[in-house]
Amino acid sequence: MTKPRRTRPRAALQHAAKLLVQKLVSFVPGEAGFRLNEWVVGRMRSAPGDDFFRFRIAKGLANLERLRAETGVDLTGRVLELGTGWHGIDLLLFHVFGARSIHSVDLHRHLVLGYVKRAAALLANGALADLDPDASLGGPLPERVAGLRAIAGCETVDAVLGHI
């Protein structure tokens, strides 16, 4: 099982701080609360570095492997992903694990093309090194990595989602 690296505490602290601020801002009612949340998160997330992406990728891999190990769920079927977020790492990981189709739902269109492309490039270039190549991924791992490279080359978020 892949575990999040403990050598990346800064990324973990930044993520925890973001979640705390979002919880505090959520008490502001209505449209004002939404706009304040967008503004605060936009300031906090300003161009996350590779440490953030590697931490989130390792955490996502550990969560998916734990889900598969403890529930026996087949990750190669149809996936409903709620709360896509800014970086789309979970979308990419479901793709790597062979999801036949992924239905992504978010209240707003938050995916940032640059972040999705960065995450796909990191996944394609070594972030999957600890993943068992014999694991059931709905297809050979090299094909999944080739798909990530294609995603990293997409020019629009719609093209990324269409590829996935």
Side-chain angles (χ1 to χ4, degrees):
M1 178 184 296
T2 305
K3 293 185 179 179
R5 290 179 146 170
R6 297 291 180 214
T7 58
R8 309 273 185 224
R10 184 171 181 225
L13 287 173
Q14 287 173 338
H15 185 66
K18 178 181 110 24
L19 292 176
L20 176 64
V21 169
Q22 282 185 295
K23 288 290 183 194
L24 293 172
V25 170
S26 70
F27 290 107
V28 177
E31 183 73 16
F34 171 75
R35 291 193 185 279
L36 181 59
N37 179 49
E38 293 290 297
W39 182 82
V40 169
V41 172
R43 297 294 177 263
M44 292 180 75
R45 72 176 170 84
S46 59
D50 285 357
D51 283 353
F52 168 82
F53 284 104
R54 285 191 179 99
F55 171 78
R56 291 296 307 243
I57 288 167
K59 183 178 176 184
L61 283 169
N63 287 341
L64 287 175
E65 288 189 23
R66 183 175 180 190
L67 176 69
R68 188 169 57 179
E70 292 185 10
T71 67
V73 69
D74 178 12
L75 297 174
T76 62
R78 184 175 295 162
V79 173
L80 172 61
E81 201 276 337
L82 302 173
T84 304
W86 306 93
H87 45 71
I89 290 172
D90 292 333
L91 290 175
L92 297 173
L93 291 177
F94 285 125
H95 175 71
V96 167
F97 273 77
R100 184 184 53 215
S101 64
I102 304 168
H103 303 272
S104 180
V105 178
D106 208 333
L107 295 175
H108 307 281
R109 198 173 175 112
H110 285 310
L111 281 176
V112 175
L113 179 63
Y115 296 168
V116 177
K117 291 173 69 159
R118 184 70 197 130
L122 284 170
L123 282 163
N125 295 316
L128 296 173
D130 294 336
L131 193 61
D132 179 6
D134 297 325
S136 174
L137 295 172
L141 188 56
E143 286 180 20
R144 295 289 164 184
V145 170
L148 289 168
R149 288 197 175 103
I151 290 168
C154 289
E155 296 300 321
T156 66
V157 170
D158 287 338
V160 167
L161 294 174
H163 189 79
I164 291 175

